[in-house]
Amino acid sequence: MKLAATAGGGLFLGFSWTSSVASALEVVSDTALAAGKIDFNSYLALSPDGLITIFSPNPELGQNIKTSFPMIVAEELDADWTKVKVIQAPLDTNKFERQVTGGSGAVPHSWERLRKAGATARQMLIEAAAKRWKVPASSLSTENSMVIHKASGRKLSYGELVTEAAKMPVPAEVKLKEPKDFKLIGKAVRNVDNHEMVTGKPLYGIDFYRDGMLFAMIQRPTAFGMKLKSVDAAAAKAMPGIVDVVTFKNNVAVVGKSTWQVNKARKALKIAYEKEGALESSADHDRLFKELLDSKEATVRRKDGDVDTAFKNAAKVVKGEYQCPFLSHAPMEPMNFFAHVRPDGVELVGPTQTPERARGEVAKLLNISPEKVTVELTRLGGGFGRRLAADYVLEAAELSSIIKAPVKVIWTREDDMTGGTYRPAVRYRFEAALDAKGNMIGYKLRGVGINSGNPTREDNFPSGAVDNLLIDSVEHQSPITTGPWRAPITNFLAFAEQAFLDEVAEAAGKDPVQFRLALLEKAKKAPVGEIKYDIDRMKGVIELAAEKSGWGKKKGVAQGFSVYFSHRSYVAQVGEVELKNGAPVVKKIYAAADCGQVINLSGANQQVKGGVVDGLGHAMYSNLTFKDGAPEQNNFSTYRLIRMKEVPEIDVHFVNNGIDPTGLGEPALPPTGGAVANAIYKATGKRLRNQPFMQQAEFKSA
Amino acid sequence: MAIYKLQINGRSYEADVEADTPLLWVLRDNLGLVGTKYGCGIAQCGACTVHVNGNAIRSCVYPVSAVGESKITTIEGLSEKGDHPVQLAWDEVDVPQCGYCQAGQIMTATALLQKNPNPNTEEIENAMNGNICRCGTYHRIREAVALAATKLK
Ligand code: FES
Ligand code: FES
């Protein structure tokens, strides 16, 4: 690093990389760490000075887990929240289970464990006080990091009891609080990292620095279906700051002393590629989808009753086809990872949603045992599913093993957007058979997708509510890589299904809300096959959203309804749309969510609003298309994300039904597209069946 | 390569870099000021926003050779203790989700409030529309800018 204090300035006396590295990994200050803390369990350590350290094992990408997990521990501990310090735990499969961010599953999985971790330590503190005061433990209570003996008015702080408490036997059984006694859970608690974030502390993987570390960028094939043929790196190698150019698999890595230098040198590479697979274009996919929708062969996902007879006897048949484009995850922090492969082990540092997978795959790649690999988790600048894959971790590890040096691989935005694992493109065909009274007696859904896996959710509503039902799918294998994208599959399927049900309700002459409620009623009274969603919870959010939005009661307001169950939670939404110069403007969205017990009201509000903004933005604007295997959009100039002016008012409500938490990182996203499309139909009379809405012929010019 | 003397956050720095190096990468790679973020590199997202003589600029497309005598402020230099009214408002409204875009958001908001201490909603939106937040914290950003304006009075 070329850096010097200027003689005249005098204020700046040198920059210490070491301190920056330390704070990159630890949010808590060193004094907090040095306070002689005593571990009570994997999640919790207490210090004689009263400081409470809570370890948060799951990757934090904005879902606020680093605040909500510790809240659960602190609740059962009756901790003074102002004395709680939260530390991101590294990957440790001995201490923790499921150190994964994905599937909206962290809180449901850990709820009990975290409560018990807090309650166990609390019980040990009580036992220590009981012993000291020679009173029965049952006569003691706790509050705000204090053990209290009401009868005598005596109090001892947790700090004073820590040393003795740690020696108490660990209770096998502990009593957990009644939800009505919660003091922290359900309240709005600010993000524990706010101060670090608003002051620009090095929290993210891309901020990580280590003395002697090299920087690298990788040129990957410019199109899916191409492979590396030859590389002429002479010019690049001669450029300032370049240490080496190495080739592995289909990658050409430029390694050097700074990000800008490797970025510049990379442009001087002369690389030839050759075809190794199909070079697909979006126009090919459009054609292919039509073929696959009529394919004789399909994987049957669910079959109830006899659809052929139902459709033959139908008084009316409704059909609709819906098409979903590829999307990039586009987290604001592009992919990056630090790796140092040494003879005795491997050090990995960076943003990943699945540290255990990263460790396992790196161990396999380098043919070493996973115990030799450590994974330090930085804060993630978003993930949205992209960081469930380990491709970018493997690249960093492979590169470090070749150059035998610590290296941080950074992706440019262009690399990130053209580098794959997209939300898959899918086309759906829905068909509904109605009898003379407008009852849905038959339902067919076929989903056909590009590397989509199963593009249906066959056991979701309305399955179980229709006597004759067939859901099947066909998948096309493509060189274009795909992967989970926030609320996988349902992020679009929910729109398609809820928009289609709106069409069916209209054909049946029924109000969209009443139509859905009647189907749920039918599923309850005369269920068809297995029902894998909770009818009452779904009904609950439908009714709450209808009530809060004044459904059907507002004159001159175009409203659209949508409801969806995803992962383990239920969200209903009502969109309100106005026309401005012929173009639809989304004015307001009401969201009613049932995620069970809300942990942090502030974070939960963020997840719902953020999910709605995410769902709305991508439904309206975002599109990734291909020409000859290459993505046609590579940065935010051509790939549109939603911006502040396009965001409507969002009104969030939670159902309070006392059940344990069921997760909220994804479920608010899927219903938004449907609520908006159905409102746009009310406002314009135009049924939108493809996304993004604003690129459809109807509104393109508006 | 050439030596550039830079005035950043009231201190003097030197960096030996090529003339076309964007200020963003000088800050991040050479000076260790990594609070300023990379998001797009083409002036589309605002993650890299810093102040040059009080004006919000996109440091990803601002070559170090153009800085000259100008005074630069980054997120690290907004306040000594992280208690600038805009930073306080950001905490109070609990704005960040992943937080990656927020340094840029705060720098854009601060530059706006320095020029217009009393922005209405439309003026806030006009100023902030160039900053992308992929997590969708836009409502809280808008609210925090309005709150910060009251704190600056
Ligand atoms: S990184 Fe500079 S505007 Fe996006
Ligand atoms: S908070 Fe994540 S991008 Fe804005």
Side-chain angles (χ1 to χ4, degrees):
Chain A
M1 289 301 108
K2 308 287 193 307
L3 169 72
T6 48
L11 281 165
F12 182 68
L13 297 177
F15 171 75
S16 158
W17 280 113
T18 336
S19 66
S20 127
V21 171
S23 50
L25 298 177
E26 312 286 6
V27 172
V28 73
S29 68
D30 295 349
T31 43
L33 286 168
K37 61 184 170 57
I38 302 169
D39 288 346
F40 273 69
N41 49 56
S42 308
Y43 297 99
L44 189 59
L46 305 178
S47 314
D49 62 4
L51 192 86
I52 297 165
T53 308
I54 302 182
F55 297 91
S56 187
N58 286 42
E60 168 66 70
L61 50 63
Q63 84 281 37
N64 211 13
I65 203 81
K66 201 172 163 189
T67 305
S68 50
F69 258 27
M71 281 174 70
I72 302 170
V73 179
E75 175 71 65
E76 292 288 349
L77 180 62
D78 267 337
D80 175 354
W81 182 251
T82 63
K83 301 272 166 57
V84 170
K85 292 280 172 234
V86 181
I87 295 185
Q88 176 72 57
L91 174 67
D92 188 338
T93 40
N94 296 324
K95 278 188 176 171
F96 305 108
E97 283 176 45
R98 201 190 181 280
Q99 278 184 277
V100 171
T101 292
S104 298
V107 173
H109 171 268
S110 298
W111 170 242
E112 281 261 329
R113 283 177 180 78
L114 296 165
R115 293 181 74 189
K116 281 189 179 147
T120 305
R122 173 180 170 273
Q123 191 56 38
M124 290 159 80
L125 289 157
I126 287 180
E127 298 291 347
K131 198 169 162 197
R132 211 196 270 191
W133 290 329
K134 299 191 175 56
V135 297
S138 59
S139 67
L140 302 179
S141 58
T142 53
E143 205 182 303
N144 216 24
S145 282
M146 295 269 202
V147 180
I148 299 164
H149 185 237
K150 269 232 180 70
S152 64
R154 280 178 293 185
K155 285 182 184 178
L156 277 171
S157 73
Y158 285 0
E160 292 170 278
L161 290 164
V162 161
T163 321
E164 293 149 68
K167 294 180 194 129
M168 293 290 145
V170 179
E173 289 277 323
V174 282
K175 201 171 149 350
L176 301 178
K177 282 186 183 178
E178 292 294 323
K180 67 171 171 43
D181 298 324
F182 287 159
K183 293 193 180 81
L184 264 180
I185 291 176
K187 301 279 172 339
V189 172
R190 290 182 210 170
N191 195 313
V192 294
D193 279 348
N194 273 352
H195 185 78
E196 284 71 18
M197 289 188 279
V198 304
T199 52
K201 291 289 176 309
L203 299 171
Y204 303 89
I206 204 167
D207 302 338
F208 182 81
Y209 186 85
R210 165 79 47 84
D211 270 333
M213 172 188 102
L214 295 168
F215 295 77
M217 281 192 189
I218 293 176
Q219 181 61 52
R220 301 169 190 84
T222 47
F224 294 93
M226 287 288 207
K227 69 172 190 196
L228 194 61
K229 190 176 170 201
S230 63
V231 187
D232 173 1
K237 276 187 184 170
M239 289 178 69
I242 300 311
V243 174
D244 206 351
V245 175
V246 299
T247 299
F248 59 98
K249 302 202 168 93
N250 279 317
N251 302 319
V252 184
V254 181
V255 185
K257 298 229 164 98
S258 77
T259 313
W260 183 249
Q261 287 172 321
V262 296
N263 193 30
K264 259 177 93 175
R266 167 206 187 159
K267 293 186 179 129
L269 291 169
K270 293 189 192 71
I271 307 180
Y273 292 102
E274 61 191 341
K275 207 176 140 190
E276 77 166 347
L279 302 179
E280 297 177 359
S281 301
S282 293
D284 302 330
H285 295 149
D286 289 345
R287 266 194 309 276
L288 184 74
F289 282 148
K290 305 242 156 92
E291 274 169 46
L292 297 180
L293 280 173
D294 292 328
S295 159
K296 294 270 174 293
E297 315 250 307
T299 309
V300 173
R301 304 288 175 179
R302 179 165 173 144
K303 195 170 184 296
D304 294 320
D306 173 1
V307 277
D308 289 341
T309 311
F311 276 82
K312 219 182 287 159
N313 297 337
K316 221 184 222 180
V317 170
V318 187
K319 269 190 199 183
E321 288 185 16
Y322 292 78
Q323 191 168 317
C324 156
F326 287 100
L327 289 181
S328 165
H329 299 80
M332 285 311 287
E333 179 195 18
M335 296 307 108
N336 65 82
F337 229 83
F338 169 86
H340 190 188
V341 178
R342 303 176 314 254
D344 59 331
V346 178
E347 184 187 7
L348 301 172
V349 183
T352 166
Q353 295 177 240
T354 50
E356 196 176 351
R357 173 188 292 177
R359 181 177 71 178
E361 290 189 15
V362 166
K364 210 169 138 206
L365 172 83
L366 302 174
N367 199 16
I368 54 170
S369 116
E371 286 80 68
K372 292 230 151 118
V373 183
T374 62
V375 187
E376 203 76 53
L377 289 169
T378 58
R379 193 178 180 86
L380 284 67
F384 310 101
R386 177 63 182 87
R387 294 190 229 265
L388 288 166
D391 55 330
Y392 60 99
V393 188
L394 288 165
E395 280 179 357
E398 189 160 3
L399 180 57
S400 174
S401 77
I402 295 168
I403 61 173
K404 300 193 167 37
V407 66
K408 180 168 71 176
V409 176
I410 299 173
W411 296 44
T412 62
R413 175 58 55 197
E414 289 81 2
D415 293 334
D416 195 278
M417 204 168 276
T418 58
T421 89
Y422 306 110
R423 191 264 304 262
V426 182
R427 189 172 176 95
Y428 294 101
R429 176 185 288 161
F430 292 85
E431 294 165 80
L434 296 172
D435 69 10
K437 289 195 200 114
N439 295 312
M440 187 157 72
I441 52 168
Y443 183 88
K444 282 198 272 186
L445 167 61
R446 171 168 290 186
V448 297
I450 316 288
N451 291 347
S452 59
N454 174 9
T456 76
R457 290 293 178 264
E458 62 275 10
D459 293 322
N460 264 10
F461 180 81
S463 293
V466 192
D467 289 335
N468 308 290
L469 173 138
L470 174 65
I471 296 176
D472 62 13
S473 67
V474 188
E475 184 181 6
H476 167 72
Q477 304 288 339
S478 161
I480 298 168
T481 56
T482 63
W485 193 103
R486 193 181 193 181
I489 297 301
T490 62
N491 57 51
F492 183 91
L493 173 60
F495 146 69
E497 175 203 295
Q498 291 293 308
F500 179 68
L501 285 180
D502 224 56
E503 298 190 47
V504 180
E506 189 184 35
K510 293 182 181 161
D511 169 75
V513 171
Q514 290 313 318
F515 182 71
R516 286 169 175 82
L517 288 173
L519 282 169
L520 286 172
E521 207 47 44
K522 149 94 177 129
K524 189 151 197 178
K525 286 214 183 98
V528 187
E530 216 183 331
I531 298 203
K532 292 195 178 164
Y533 50 92
D534 186 316
I535 294 170
D536 293 327
R537 290 181 73 190
M538 190 173 256
K539 217 173 135 215
V541 293
I542 292 177
E543 284 168 350
L544 185 62
E547 178 207 321
K548 295 295 177 188
S549 65
W551 178 258
K553 297 199 180 98
K554 286 184 179 166
K555 290 260 163 340
V557 180
Q559 290 186 319
F561 197 87
S562 175
V563 61
Y564 211 73
F565 159 63
S566 64
H567 301 284
R568 295 156 207 81
S569 295
Y570 299 77
V571 181
Q573 292 177 18
V574 174
E576 293 182 353
V577 164
E578 274 176 16
L579 280 182
K580 201 173 163 193
N581 307 325
V585 179
V586 183
K587 300 300 281 187
K588 186 156 184 173
I589 292 176
Y590 297 86
D594 176 355
C595 58
Q597 174 72 52
V598 167
I599 309 296
N600 180 351
L601 194 56
S602 178
N605 257 296
Q606 290 269 55
Q607 286 313 299
V608 175
K609 282 193 181 171
V612 170
V613 170
D614 198 350
L616 174 68
H618 289 91
M620 297 285 280
Y621 307 111
S622 312
N623 193 9
L624 191 79
T625 57
F626 289 86
K627 180 83 187 135
D628 301 327
E632 292 183 291
Q633 296 76 24
N634 69 2
N635 206 321
F636 300 131
S637 46
T638 44
Y639 185 82
R640 268 276 268 130
L641 290 177
I642 193 166
R643 291 176 184 269
M644 184 182 275
K645 281 190 193 173
E646 293 146 351
V647 166
E649 195 185 328
I650 301 174
D651 194 16
V652 180
H653 300 273
F654 292 100
V655 173
N656 186 358
N657 53 12
I659 66 169
D660 286 351
T662 53
L664 196 60
E666 292 157 286
L669 188 156
T672 307
V676 169
N678 294 340
I680 290 176
Y681 173 70
K682 281 278 185 59
T684 64
K686 287 170 184 151
R687 286 280 180 204
L688 292 170
R689 296 193 180 88
N690 303 325
Q691 289 183 1
F693 299 153
M694 297 310 283
Q695 279 184 25
Q696 301 313 304
E698 290 92 330
F699 304 124
K700 216 169 181 171
S701 56
Chain B
M1 309 272 276
I3 307 259
Y4 292 89
K5 294 189 180 193
L6 302 167
Q7 301 297 316
I8 305 169
N9 302 332
R11 296 174 177 182
S12 300
Y13 289 82
E14 279 184 8
D16 186 3
V17 292
E18 287 149 78
D20 64 350
T21 311
L23 177 58
L24 168 68
W25 295 112
V26 177
L27 292 170
R28 291 186 58 83
D29 284 357
N30 298 79
L31 307 180
L33 294 167
V34 296
T36 306
K37 298 297 190 235
Y38 166 75
C40 68
I42 57 164
Q44 288 288 320
C45 77
C48 64
T49 306
V50 300
H51 299 175
V52 172
N53 294 334
N55 296 310
I57 60 104
R58 306 297 194 227
S59 66
C60 67
V61 291
Y62 201 93
V64 65
S65 54
V67 177
E69 304 284 296
S70 303
K71 291 196 170 23
I72 294 162
T73 309
T74 71
I75 187 76
E76 291 92 345
L78 207 51
S79 62
E80 275 290 309
K81 297 194 177 117
D83 54 359
H84 185 283
V86 175
Q87 290 169 315
L88 293 178
W90 241 251
D91 176 39
E92 229 172 290
V93 177
D94 202 22
V95 176
Q97 285 194 35
C98 83
Y100 192 80
C101 73
Q102 300 297 348
Q105 306 277 3
I106 288 171
M107 296 312 285
T108 303
T110 311
L112 161 72
L113 293 172
Q114 273 161 13
K115 296 207 164 53
N116 177 1
N118 236 333
N120 60 29
T121 305
E122 204 188 328
E123 288 165 335
I124 294 176
E125 289 184 345
N126 283 338
M128 302 305 300
N129 209 50
N131 285 68
I132 294 175
C133 175
R134 175 68 179 85
C135 299
T137 64
Y138 295 119
H139 298 90
R140 290 194 182 177
I141 293 170
R142 195 161 40 200
E143 191 185 333
V145 178
L147 175 67
T150 67
K151 286 182 188 288
L152 279 161
K153 276 187 195 133

